[in-house]
Amino acid sequence: MANRIFGSVGWYIQGPGLLEEIGRHLKPLGRRIAVVADEVVWGIIGPAFDKARGDIDPQHLMFAGENTREEVACLVDGASDSDVVVGAGGGKALDAAKLVAYRLGKPMVSFPTIASTDAPASRISILYTPEGAVDEIVVLPEPPRLVLVDTAVIARAPSRFLVAGMGDGLSTWFEAKACYQAKGKNKHGGRPTLAALAIAERCCRTILENGLGALEAVKRGSVTDALEAVVEANILLSGVGFENGGVALAHAINNGLSALPEFHSAMHGEKVAFGLLVQCLVEGAERDYKRLKQFYTKVGLPLHLGALGYEGQPEDVADRVASHVFTRELDKIANEPVSVTLEGLKEAFLHADSLGRREEGLE
């Protein structure tokens, strides 16, 4: 019998105004700070880092936008003299910073400026090819030492990011539940704990209860209790929940879609959200599908392939995604409590697309 394993991020701090206190939070970890961030993100956070020079010595390392092997090697060279590596921005910049910190043996700090994924609180780094397809999912020995989430910064970001994070976060419960029922393995290689299930369920419930209010807050650029709750769910509860609860078909489908150039403009959480609808249909979870469909409609998550920017024939996508899943995602299929076949997956994929189009009056 496999052991039950649970792991978590070192420290997590969330609230408005943390950016202005960045020096105080980073100083205990070291003085020389390498900050991996793209030009836009550095424009947002750079002034606060410059003001903190009495406490820390920050060095900006330009992130080119894709977490590739070549990009990481370049960043490692630039951060070789640092004491701490900070990843700032979205999931790809943070994932690159994780690999840089690991290769240099330095502590890593996540400073997300958007709440679009659970990457900030995860020890996983997803490498991509230069073309934007998933290259390798790297499970690192340790999670980030510290996660700093300034909700005032996140409140000023475009609302699409927050909604995508909700899509990623919602899947946490349904995939963890599937993994537990299937007696599958989480990202630590062990059985999910009851704590992981509780966190995953709370993540989903928090998003369903507060998602619409959080979206309205971001559209106003304001920090509210609803936004604080959803940001914590998108980042902390989802990050701890998926690593310890396990992932299943929703993320397998996301990876299949991510391998197709036609879907590179869609965000991770948007593709996961559609994959979750397919997972519900594969499992015969009609009640869950209907509940999710209602929420998706309220906040703008995708119900069909067209909402992910695809304008071609759905049969072609179904064939390619199903082939990818049964070639490269067998570990996630093993975390499903029902039998999943190639043809059954294609059928559920097309059915989800058709139902979504019908819901929006497109067929």
Side-chain angles (χ1 to χ4, degrees):
M1 180 180 294
N3 293 328
R4 299 187 180 210
I5 304 176
F6 184 93
S8 180
V9 66
W11 288 90
Y12 181 91
I13 306 174
Q14 174 183 314
L18 287 179
L19 178 58
E20 302 308 316
E21 304 172 352
I22 194 69
R24 178 170 69 85
H25 291 293
L26 295 181
K27 185 177 179 180
L29 297 176
R31 180 170 179 81
R32 294 171 298 179
I33 313 294
V35 186
V36 177
D38 64 27
E39 185 175 6
V40 173
V41 170
W42 185 247
I44 296 171
I45 67 173
F49 274 84
D50 286 337
K51 287 181 181 178
R53 285 190 179 275
D55 294 322
I56 57 175
D57 180 16
Q59 174 195 6
H60 175 216
L61 300 182
M62 182 66 72
F63 178 62
E66 202 66 81
N67 184 27
T68 64
R69 297 176 188 275
E70 296 77 12
E71 177 72 1
V72 171
C74 180
L75 292 170
V76 166
D77 290 340
S80 59
D81 293 332
S82 65
D83 300 317
V84 183
V85 179
V86 175
K92 291 184 177 182
L94 271 60
D95 279 3
K98 292 173 196 174
L99 287 171
V100 172
Y102 169 66
R103 294 185 184 178
L104 294 175
K106 307 295 183 182
M108 186 271 171
V109 176
S110 291
F111 190 91
T113 56
I114 54 178
S116 60
T117 72
D118 46 29
S122 167
R123 66 183 182 133
I124 289 175
S125 177
I126 303 177
L127 279 167
Y128 291 84
T129 67
E131 295 73 33
V134 174
D135 180 3
E136 182 183 358
I137 298 176
V138 183
V139 182
L140 297 168
E142 295 182 359
R145 184 76 58 86
L146 171 64
V147 180
L148 293 171
V149 185
D150 189 330
T151 43
V153 172
I154 288 176
R156 294 193 293 268
S159 60
R160 182 185 177 190
F161 293 118
L162 185 76
V163 173
M166 294 186 210
D168 196 24
L170 285 171
S171 75
T172 305
W173 164 236
F174 297 97
E175 291 184 280
K177 179 172 61 171
C179 183
Y180 187 82
Q181 292 173 348
K183 294 182 170 57
K185 292 183 178 180
N186 61 22
K187 286 299 182 179
H188 302 297
R191 291 286 312 282
T193 62
L194 295 177
L197 289 179
I199 290 171
E201 189 279 331
R202 182 67 187 191
C203 177
C204 177
R205 179 155 48 97
T206 297
I207 293 170
L208 291 175
E209 292 176 354
N210 297 278
L212 188 57
L215 176 58
E216 292 171 349
V218 167
K219 289 180 176 179
R220 299 191 305 268
S222 61
V223 178
T224 64
D225 289 343
L227 179 62
E228 290 281 5
V230 169
V231 168
E232 183 180 344
N234 284 9
I235 295 176
L236 180 61
L237 300 183
S238 183
V240 176
F242 97 83
E243 282 198 354
N244 293 284
V247 293
L249 195 53
H251 270 79
I253 291 169
N254 162 76
N255 292 347
L257 290 170
S258 297
L260 307 181
E262 301 96 310
F263 292 91
H264 287 177
S265 63
M267 299 188 68
H268 171 79
E270 294 167 342
K271 289 177 284 191
V272 171
F274 180 74
L276 179 55
L277 296 179
V278 178
Q279 178 178 321
C280 288
L281 295 179
V282 167
E283 295 174 354
E286 183 177 345
R287 179 182 295 181
D288 289 336
Y289 173 87
K290 289 181 177 179
R291 182 169 57 144
L292 290 169
K293 181 187 70 173
Q294 292 173 353
F295 181 77
Y296 284 20
T297 301
K298 291 178 181 178
V299 300
L301 282 168
L303 292 172
H304 54 85
L305 296 177
L308 292 171
Y310 181 71
E311 299 178 352
Q313 294 299 315
E315 292 80 7
D316 176 54
V317 177
D319 286 342
R320 288 187 287 166
V321 169
S323 176
H324 173 95
V325 169
F326 274 85
T327 302
R328 300 189 60 179
E329 311 291 340
L330 295 178
D331 59 326
K332 298 174 185 65
I333 293 177
N335 282 348
E336 283 292 335
V338 298
S339 175
V340 184
T341 66
L342 182 67
E343 291 304 317
L345 177 56
K346 290 181 186 178
E347 180 181 345
F349 190 96
L350 291 172
H351 190 37
D353 179 62
S354 178
L355 288 174
R357 289 174 58 82
R358 196 178 310 158
E359 177 71 19
E360 295 186 359
L362 299 175
E363 66 172 44

